[in-house]
Amino acid sequence: MKKVEAIIRPEHFQTLRKRLESFGVKGLTVSEVAGCGKQKGQEGVFRGNKFEVTLLPKVKIEMVIGEEQLDEIIELITECSYTGKVGDGKIFVFDVQEAIRIRTKERGVEAIS
């Protein structure tokens, strides 16, 4: 099993969510986050005063999937989130040793499906 974390632009979330659902991903954890990378924030103007916003809003999506789905999920995320501009986001992949569904005590892939 693999845990996939994707940090993307908020405006791409609904499209990605629908595509993941149609692909068969049953469980997601979604968080509104803020961060900066190469974008280094942006400058804004409020009532004539300039200010720098160093943390930009992003959406973090977490899912645990079977290893056989990994390449397709990564491709799907990159397709939905790509603009070609700095700030498109990142995908992180982690190994998951075990998953346990508390209600039924199922383990492994059965716990996430």
Side-chain angles (χ1 to χ4, degrees):
M1 290 178 295
K2 299 287 185 182
K3 180 179 182 183
V4 177
E5 288 185 7
I7 300 172
I8 64 169
R9 296 174 188 265
E11 60 267 23
H12 296 285
F13 172 67
Q14 288 301 331
T15 303
L16 177 58
R17 185 189 60 79
K18 289 176 186 170
R19 293 278 307 275
L20 287 168
E21 188 177 298
S22 66
F23 183 76
V25 173
K26 295 185 181 1
L28 293 176
T29 301
V30 179
S31 307
E32 291 182 18
V33 296
C36 65
K38 287 187 178 181
Q39 266 180 305
K40 297 194 172 69
Q42 51 187 280
E43 192 174 88
V45 177
F46 180 72
R47 295 187 179 174
N49 296 318
K50 290 185 180 180
F51 64 95
E52 188 175 331
V53 179
T54 56
L55 298 176
L56 299 173
K58 301 288 180 182
V59 173
K60 180 178 178 181
I61 302 157
E62 301 171 80
M63 67 195 90
V64 177
I65 58 172
E67 212 160 321
E68 66 282 352
Q69 297 176 300
L70 182 61
D71 291 335
E72 291 174 284
I73 293 289
I74 289 172
E75 182 62 30
L76 195 148
I77 294 168
T78 54
E79 278 179 18
C80 291
S81 305
Y82 176 80
T83 66
K85 298 177 183 168
V86 173
D88 277 350
K90 297 270 190 302
I91 301 171
F92 304 99
V93 179
F94 306 91
D95 288 321
V96 174
Q97 292 182 4
E98 183 69 276
I100 302 157
R101 181 173 293 157
I102 294 172
R103 178 177 53 86
T104 62
K105 298 185 175 88
E106 292 171 294
R107 291 178 170 260
V109 178
E110 291 80 28
I112 62 171
S113 56

